[in-house]
Amino acid sequence: MSLTAFASLADLTLSLYPDFSWLSSLVETATGWVGLVIIFAYSFLIAFALPGVSEIVLAAPLDLGLPYSAKLAVIILVSGAGKAAGSVFAFHIGRQTKESGYVERALERLPVDVMGWTERKAVQIAQNWGFAGLAAALCVPGFPDTLSIYAFSVLEDDYLKFAAATFVGSCGRLVVTVIGIEAALAFL
């Protein structure tokens, strides 16, 4: 696999979200074991606050003294753990926001029924698929996962299952990305 493919993905993301390019650049240049801390922190932040996609972590040129596949597995697991931790934080914020009612009251003043549509769709996914639906939604590369995390946070109330679903979905997303890039490179 070529790091050029990951760098291209990172460049695309940077062009979409230039305000956070310094953070993405930090991830792209993260080296050594300290780089894992940077990947964890980036994944934590992207779960609840930052725009962009989490696949950038795959571009980190970590030199861990491990075989390539083991290094990739460590990056995926650390990123998944960071995203799970960040999602629990987002989950808590979502629960508090729902209980306060402030967001609901603000959205009710809009001419379009945003709350009704969002809640119907999120409830439908949650009822049909539960936490597996959250994990599956998070497996879609390139899609900002903050939306899925917050949508599910107002519907569910189990922190541990929420964190587990986010971990599985986040790791799955990176695995799908790696498989997709490797498949594309095989045809070049």
Side-chain angles (χ1 to χ4, degrees):
M1 173 166 337
S2 167
L3 286 179
T4 307
F6 291 127
S8 297
L9 177 65
D11 290 340
L12 173 64
T13 302
L14 289 176
S15 69
L16 296 173
Y17 303 104
D19 294 337
F20 296 100
S21 62
W22 65 271
L23 187 55
S24 298
S25 295
L26 184 63
V27 172
E28 289 178 46
T29 59
T31 60
W33 294 97
V34 174
L36 291 176
V37 174
I38 293 169
I39 288 171
F40 181 91
Y42 177 80
S43 298
F44 178 90
L45 290 171
I46 206 161
F48 75 92
L50 295 180
V53 293
S54 57
E55 293 86 350
I56 289 175
V57 300
L58 296 171
L62 298 180
D63 182 16
L64 304 173
L66 299 172
Y68 180 75
S69 58
K71 177 185 89 163
L72 202 54
V74 168
I75 289 172
I76 289 170
L77 293 173
V78 167
S79 178
K83 188 87 69 66
S87 73
V88 168
F89 186 69
F91 185 80
H92 180 70
I93 292 171
R95 301 298 303 160
Q96 298 293 46
T97 302
K98 182 181 177 188
E99 290 171 14
S100 75
Y102 175 76
V103 173
E104 287 88 351
R105 287 190 302 277
L107 290 173
E108 286 172 356
R109 290 188 290 249
L110 295 175
V112 178
D113 186 16
V114 175
M115 277 300 288
W117 183 85
T118 304
E119 190 170 336
R120 282 191 303 275
K121 290 297 179 188
V123 166
Q124 182 182 12
I125 292 170
Q127 287 174 339
N128 291 342
W129 303 99
F131 289 105
L134 172 60
L138 293 175
C139 282
V140 178
F143 186 74
D145 40 12
T146 309
L147 177 64
S148 300
I149 289 171
Y150 277 107
F152 274 82
S153 72
V154 298
L155 298 170
E156 300 293 345
D157 57 1
D158 189 327
Y159 281 82
L160 186 58
K161 287 181 183 177
F162 193 81
T166 306
F167 178 78
V168 169
S170 299
C171 290
R173 173 191 202 129
L174 296 176
V175 169
V176 167
T177 301
V178 169
I179 290 170
I181 290 174
E182 291 214 7
L185 291 175
F187 290 106
L188 294 179

